[in-house]
Amino acid sequence: MGLRTAARVVILLVALALSLAVTADAAGRTVAIQNFTFAPATINPGDTVTWQNLVDGVAHTATSDTPGLFDTGTIPPGQSSAAKPFVVVGTFAYHCSIHTTMHGTITVQAVTPAPTPSPPPATPRPTAPPTPQPTPVPTPAVTPSPSPPSPSPSPSPSSSPSPSPSPTTSPTPIVAPTGVALASSGPVPDAGLGGGPGPLLAAGGAAVALGLAGVAFYLYRRK
């Protein structure tokens, strides 16, 4: 083995060691080359990309559109390129320098930090149920009692007709006995104290008195 061959082996071993070291720190992504197309790839900062030409029967390259950024060199059929690290966020376009119609992109997305888990919400203390208030008993409305109707004025009793006075029986005229009348009709002579008609007058007066008493008694009994 010549010195040049030994130097190449050493360089390859160093490159492989570096590639393994980078791969250990970051994730590796593979871009398949098939039917003259590059599969799109989205990676995180620090990831590496390896292009594999395992299907097409011709060689390809992955050359950055920005000169000098990255270039895999020729990738023979059935082989893979060296891993290329990407640390800057952005979209990187590239092409095949052998077949200029082949284009591809590598998208390096910003890493979103994992959200800090929020502490679980505090368990709310159970609230005591409100004490039910007693339902007030409705007071029945007092209906005013109707006032008694005013007594209608009773008709004043008509004055009863005063009884007609019973006919008064006119007293029957007292008729003095004939003897008495005759005795008193004439002039009585003055008999004086000793005699004359005095005894007759006394007897006549007594007779008149008795007659009047009899008439009065008769009238009394008649009532």
Side-chain angles (χ1 to χ4, degrees):
M1 181 184 296
L3 294 176
R4 292 183 177 180
T5 303
R8 290 178 180 178
V9 171
V10 172
I11 293 173
L12 289 176
L13 292 176
V14 172
L16 180 60
L18 292 175
S19 176
L20 292 176
V22 171
T23 304
D25 294 335
R29 297 291 186 269
T30 300
V31 175
I33 302 173
Q34 184 176 359
N35 298 328
F36 293 83
T37 58
F38 296 104
T42 301
I43 62 176
N44 296 324
D47 291 350
T48 60
V49 178
T50 300
W51 284 263
Q52 292 180 344
N53 185 16
L54 303 179
V55 178
D56 289 353
V58 295
H60 298 288
T61 68
T63 305
S64 174
D65 289 351
T66 303
L69 188 59
F70 64 87
D71 188 356
T72 61
T74 301
I75 306 172
Q79 296 186 16
S80 299
S81 71
K84 299 293 182 180
F86 290 83
V87 295
V88 179
V89 175
T91 300
F92 302 92
Y94 62 93
H95 61 278
C96 176
S97 60
I98 302 173
H99 310 94
T100 56
T101 58
M102 295 176 58
H103 295 275
T105 56
I106 300 295
T107 301
V108 182
Q109 62 182 2
V111 177
T112 303
T116 304
S118 58
T123 304
R125 299 179 60 183
T127 305
T131 304
Q133 298 294 330
T135 305
V137 179
T139 305
V142 179
T143 304
S145 58
S147 58
S150 302
S152 58
S154 58
S156 58
S158 58
S159 57
S160 58
S162 58
S164 59
S166 58
T168 306
T169 305
S170 59
T172 304
I174 301 172
V175 179
T178 305
V180 175
L182 290 177
S184 60
S185 60
V188 179
D190 187 11
L193 295 176
L200 293 175
L201 291 176
V208 172
L210 289 175
L212 292 175
V215 172
F217 179 75
Y218 174 75
L219 294 176
Y220 176 77
R221 293 292 301 274
R222 196 173 176 184
K223 290 181 178 182

